[in-house]
Amino acid sequence: MGVITYDFEVTSPISPARLFKALVLEGDKVYPRAAPHAIKSVELQEDGKLGSIVKINFVEGLPFQYVKHKIEGHDKDNFSYNYSLIEGGPLGDKIEKISYENKFVAAADGETVCKSLMKFYTVGDYVITEDEIKAHIGRTEGVYKAIEAYLLANPHVCN
């Protein structure tokens, strides 16, 4: 097994507290509303605390039916959220899991910089390509931007 680490950042006009609430604390409600073209439903298995499983079901016609995330930890005070993609989606016989460490940091004018560290745990001698990593990030950013647009269009949500 190999581990490939990749850092990326995304900037948003939404405040860290509101973005954290939408993406982490109320994601099961927000994701399907913000991205109905991609996300059918979100199921929280257990209580949402450390070790809980979150299953995101995608609409028909997308390359993946679902993904399962395992919550590794979150800190509401510091707007950080860690989880691992453990089943479905881009995983298969070449990638065992993908771990994410996300932190929402305040930037100028109330904006947020979402700093993300991803670790791809590959199976055997498989080496993930830069194109595969970029495709994964692109899908992730697509949902992220849909949620951002939803929050901008609905200023009363997640305040």
Side-chain angles (χ1 to χ4, degrees), residues 118-138:
M118 299 186 316
K119 294 179 184 174
F120 294 83
Y121 293 80
T122 58
V123 176
D125 294 335
Y126 180 72
V127 177
I128 191 167
T129 67
E130 186 78 18
D131 287 342
E132 288 174 297
I133 292 171
K134 287 181 180 178
H136 182 72
I137 290 171

Side-chain angles (χ1 to χ4, degrees), residues 80-145:
S80 65
Y81 179 57
N82 302 334
Y83 66 93
S84 292
L85 175 65
I86 58 167
E87 187 179 315
L91 302 182
D93 60 347
K94 296 179 181 174
I95 302 173
E96 178 185 326
K97 72 176 182 176
I98 306 170
S99 293
Y100 302 81
E101 297 174 17
N102 299 301
K103 179 134 176 92
F104 303 91
V105 180
D109 300 326
E111 293 183 339
T112 299
V113 176
C114 177
K115 297 180 179 194
S116 187
L117 171 69
M118 299 186 316
K119 294 179 184 174
F120 294 83
Y121 293 80
T122 58
V123 176
D125 294 335
Y126 180 72
V127 177
I128 191 167
T129 67
E130 186 78 18
D131 287 342
E132 288 174 297
I133 292 171
K134 287 181 180 178
H136 182 72
I137 290 171
R139 288 187 297 270
T140 302
E141 284 181 324
V143 172
Y144 180 88
K145 290 298 181 183

Side-chain angles (χ1 to χ4, degrees), residues 12 14 18-24 26-37 39 42 56 140-154 157-158:
S12 173
I14 308 295
R18 189 167 178 228
L19 201 53
F20 182 82
K21 188 173 184 180
L23 290 168
V24 178
E26 295 184 16
D28 59 328
K29 297 173 194 80
V30 173
Y31 281 46
R33 292 180 186 149
H37 61 283
I39 298 174
V42 177
I56 301 172
T140 302
E141 284 181 324
V143 172
Y144 180 88
K145 290 298 181 183
I147 291 170
E148 178 182 278
Y150 176 75
L151 293 174
L152 288 170
N154 296 279
V157 173
C158 294

Side-chain angles (χ1 to χ4, degrees), residues 7-19:
D7 287 300
F8 78 99
E9 293 183 359
V10 178
T11 303
S12 173
I14 308 295
S15 72
R18 189 167 178 228
L19 201 53

